[in-house]
Amino acid sequence: MKNQIKKPKKQFLRCVAYCTGNAYDLPGLANFFKRKGYVTRLSRDVLHVGSAKKSNDIFFFNHGSFICWGLNKLQEQKMLAYVRDFTISSLIKPETDHFFFHFGEETSIDSHERFKLDVITLDSDNPQIKLAISYGLAQSIKLEAFEDAIQETVKKNSYLPEEMAHRGVILLSRRSLLKRIGEIFISRSSINLNSEYLDTPEFFWRNPNLEPFYIMTKKFLDLPSRVMALNQKLDVLQELLDILSGQLQHRHSSMLETIIILLIVIEIAISLFSIFFH
């Protein structure tokens, strides 16, 4: 899709994807940027923030990611500061992914072999095309946040199956065991609940002519394979959860058996005591 906007001279500009939390308060962000004089357009799942004087565009997605087009590092740092107060469940460290873009004859995404950069070529400065590509970039950086969260959880608990294989038990207190089960369950369920963000956005149901740009971005970033790998890691978490739950159940059963044995011993002792005195 081309519009009549004049193409700027060929130069490489920054395009950076950020994931800073679980979600954004998009209406709050829209009002904030309006007061600052920005041009805003709010839809159900994305806020477009632009400037009347420059062709810079920022797209904030409700799942806690935003994409900056044409901003410099200082401006991006300001955006990170602005969004902090409107973020729900902020990440300890934001996830980032860097690209560069320029204007050419045909919209595409390629890797620059010489400079080892991912370069987006746009055939015009159309914000709708940027938005279509941004949906893919936002899903990719959100997926990266999921991947890191799962990897951290797996790394923290990876020694448990080995310990169980060597010792036959997991040397954690009941309280610690319950905490680990809770952490793994939260990690797994939060990703399952948010997996809808990795589906094709409703935006493309209403704008099918823009979907090829989104599909192109998904293919370049290898999103389908990464989602499959993510599901495999979720299976690993489920196995860990099953192991810990089994250990907890085993401890509970052992405790009940011990109590029953003690009660039998007490009953026998009382019976012997009664027989001895009669």
Side-chain angles (χ1 to χ4, degrees), residues 7-277:
K7 300 176 186 177
K9 293 180 180 179
K10 185 174 181 178
Q11 57 178 323
F12 289 96
L13 301 170
R14 289 169 61 85
C15 174
V16 184
Y18 291 94
C19 180
T20 64
N22 287 344
Y24 290 145
D25 172 15
L26 293 185
L29 265 175
N31 291 329
F32 173 81
F33 281 109
K34 277 182 183 178
R35 291 196 299 269
K36 283 191 165 291
Y38 288 87
V39 178
T40 64
R41 182 177 180 181
L42 177 63
S43 63
R44 193 176 72 87
D45 63 344
V46 63
L47 169 66
H48 176 204
V49 176
S51 171
K53 298 180 181 179
K54 299 180 181 180
S55 61
N56 300 341
D57 295 283
I58 309 105
F59 299 98
F60 295 91
F61 294 86
N62 61 351
H63 55 65
S65 304
F66 69 96
I67 316 298
C68 297
W69 293 80
L71 276 65
N72 58 41
K73 289 184 180 180
L74 182 60
Q75 291 170 325
E76 289 168 10
Q77 291 302 312
K78 285 184 178 179
M79 291 300 157
L80 284 169
Y82 290 159
V83 81
R84 194 172 295 130
D85 293 335
F86 302 94
T87 304
I88 300 168
S89 300
S90 298
L91 299 180
I92 297 173
K93 183 181 178 182
E95 297 284 349
T96 60
D97 200 1
H98 294 77
F99 302 83
F100 286 86
F101 74 97
H102 68 100
F103 296 90
E105 294 302 318
E106 184 179 358
T107 298
S108 63
I109 306 179
D110 297 291
S111 294
H112 198 295
E113 295 181 1
R114 182 179 176 185
F115 298 108
K116 295 182 179 180
L117 300 172
D118 294 329
V119 179
I120 302 169
T121 302
L122 299 175
D123 67 358
S124 71
D125 196 19
N126 186 345
Q128 290 291 88
I129 294 178
K130 288 181 180 178
L131 175 58
I133 294 173
S134 293
Y135 269 107
L137 300 181
Q139 286 185 343
S140 176
I141 197 64
K142 187 67 178 180
L143 183 57
E144 193 169 323
F146 287 158
E147 291 166 344
D148 287 351
I150 289 181
Q151 188 62 34
E152 186 63 29
T153 304
V154 171
K155 184 178 178 181
K156 183 179 178 181
N157 296 281
S158 59
Y159 75 95
L160 295 175
E162 187 176 346
E163 183 177 279
M164 194 169 183
H166 285 302
R167 300 176 183 272
V169 292
I170 296 173
L171 300 179
L172 286 174
S173 67
R174 177 180 171 81
R175 181 182 178 86
S176 297
L177 205 55
L178 284 168
K179 286 178 68 176
R180 290 294 178 92
I181 290 173
E183 289 170 3
I184 294 173
F185 181 78
I186 289 171
S187 178
R188 191 179 188 281
S189 61
S190 65
I191 293 169
N192 281 332
L193 290 172
N194 291 305
S195 61
E196 63 180 271
Y197 299 137
L198 303 179
D199 297 333
T200 301
E202 292 182 10
F203 172 79
F204 298 107
W205 300 355
R206 301 186 299 273
N207 300 276
N209 59 312
L210 295 172
E211 190 171 6
F213 302 114
Y214 166 70
I215 293 173
M216 172 191 71
T217 308
K218 280 184 64 176
K219 184 177 179 180
F220 178 80
L221 296 170
D222 200 22
L223 289 187
S225 297
R226 288 168 62 194
V227 169
M228 189 180 300
L230 180 70
N231 288 329
Q232 290 173 350
K233 289 180 179 179
L234 286 173
D235 291 339
V236 172
L237 284 187
Q238 183 60 50
E239 290 173 5
L240 277 172
L241 196 60
D242 292 341
I243 289 172
L244 294 178
S245 298
Q247 177 72 5
L248 193 63
Q249 187 175 1
H250 173 70
R251 286 188 183 181
H252 183 67
S253 299
S254 298
M255 185 178 67
L256 289 177
E257 289 173 4
T258 302
I259 291 171
I260 291 170
I261 291 170
L262 283 173
L263 289 173
I264 292 172
V265 169
I266 292 170
E267 185 178 358
I268 292 172
I270 292 172
S271 297
L272 290 173
F273 186 78
S274 299
I275 292 171
F276 179 77
F277 281 98

